[in-house]
Amino acid sequence: MSSLLVVEDDPALIASLKRTLAFEGYVVTTAADSEQAWAEVTVRRPDCLIVDVGLPGVSGLELTRRLRRSGDQTPVLMLTARQLTGDRVAGLDAGADDYLTKPFEVEELLARIRALLRRSGLTADPGAPAERVVGDLRLDTLSHEVHRGDREVVLTRTEFLLLEFLMAHPRQVLSRSQLLRHVWGSDFDSGSNTVEVFVSYLRRKTEAAGEPRLIHTVRGAGYIIKEPRP
Ligand code: CA
């Protein structure tokens, strides 16, 4: 049974989320602010966090940032009341794996949680090659280490899953909805630019030393990973 920590300060929303999630069979704990959430994470080690951006005191963004800085990779689904793309990107930038804009459908929330839990429980596919290589980029599917040449590239879990999927299909255009479905478990389109944001993170990290670009945008079609031309 998976355990969830809901970090939200709205008592009515907390009550309804708790009821819904418990009904689905999750063990649910709640925290009304970031300090309480931090204590719960340390003690209970939940399998997934649902974090509201707007919290009294330390914001949900700062909580997530703190969590990631400490090396904690527990999946975080961020709830944002705002329609502004900038705020959603800020959530992903802070280290969240996915987000939902309030108000949301319960079914959508449940689908996102299932996807996050499934992904974090993913173990290496025994049939997959131990190493994927595109140009001088190497990804070890067992140790999850990534190198560009001799340089180690440190990725978050979501970045790793996205890169792994791209590298499993070299020289093949993958559409945004294929990537959403594989990495985020749902191709529900909320007008989000999650894929674009994560591709930009991957580029930033794989090109950090000025190396040539490997992940290309194919306008109107999606993304492709391929070796640079010699
Ligand atoms: Ca709030």
Side-chain angles (χ1 to χ4, degrees):
M1 210 180 321
S2 299
S3 58
L4 308 175
L5 172 62
V6 180
V7 191
E8 166 64 73
D9 60 318
D10 175 351
L13 187 54
I14 280 221
S16 92
L17 284 178
K18 204 170 172 177
R19 206 166 40 235
T20 306
L21 296 171
F23 181 77
E24 292 295 319
Y26 294 112
V27 177
V28 187
T29 39
T30 62
D33 61 43
S34 290
E35 296 308 323
Q36 207 186 328
W38 189 256
E40 291 288 347
V41 167
T42 328
V43 175
R44 285 181 209 264
R45 300 259 146 235
D47 298 311
C48 180
L49 273 73
I50 298 152
V51 178
D52 185 33
V53 171
L55 294 171
V58 177
S59 77
L61 291 175
E62 190 48 38
L63 170 67
T64 306
R65 236 175 255 129
R66 230 168 106 181
L67 199 69
R68 295 301 183 238
R69 268 202 305 269
S70 77
D72 192 310
Q73 291 278 328
T74 310
V76 171
L77 174 64
M78 196 135 253
L79 302 180
T80 165
R82 297 152 200 183
Q83 297 293 337
L84 295 171
T85 304
D87 287 335
R88 295 187 244 146
V89 174
L92 300 178
D93 247 329
D97 300 276
D98 201 357
Y99 61 77
L100 265 185
T101 305
K102 291 183 193 172
F104 48 80
E105 300 291 332
V106 166
E107 283 311 316
E108 185 56 26
L109 173 73
L110 294 174
R112 302 292 182 100
I113 292 171
R114 278 194 301 269
L116 286 175
L117 290 171
R118 197 167 52 234
R119 285 164 41 187
S120 70
L122 282 184
T123 43
D125 173 358
E131 190 174 60
R132 298 201 185 277
V133 181
V134 174
D136 61 350
L137 185 66
R138 286 176 294 116
L139 177 147
D140 188 318
T141 57
L142 300 173
S143 69
H144 284 205
E145 283 171 345
V146 177
H147 286 86
R148 181 96 201 240
D150 292 333
R151 188 170 67 79
E152 186 176 4
V153 180
V154 179
L155 301 178
T156 66
R157 190 187 52 254
T158 300
E159 291 164 352
F160 179 86
L161 286 171
L162 178 59
L163 184 62
E164 214 268 332
F165 190 55
L166 286 164
M167 292 181 80
H169 303 87
R171 295 175 303 283
Q172 186 180 326
V173 178
L174 298 172
S175 71
R176 209 173 120 223
S177 67
Q178 279 176 305
L179 296 171
L180 277 173
R181 219 168 23 240
H182 180 82
V183 179
W184 286 271
S186 157
D187 61 355
F188 172 85
D189 190 358
S190 52
S192 70
N193 57 350
T194 309
V195 175
E196 287 81 343
V197 171
F198 275 93
V199 165
S200 77
Y201 294 159
L202 279 181
R203 282 179 179 152
R204 204 183 299 161
K205 290 185 175 180
T206 57
E207 300 167 11
E211 296 97 334
R213 175 152 297 182
L214 298 172
I215 305 167
H216 302 271
T217 305
V218 181
R219 217 161 279 286
Y223 297 93
I224 188 169
I225 191 162
K226 58 183 179 185
E227 291 178 37
R229 279 202 200 93

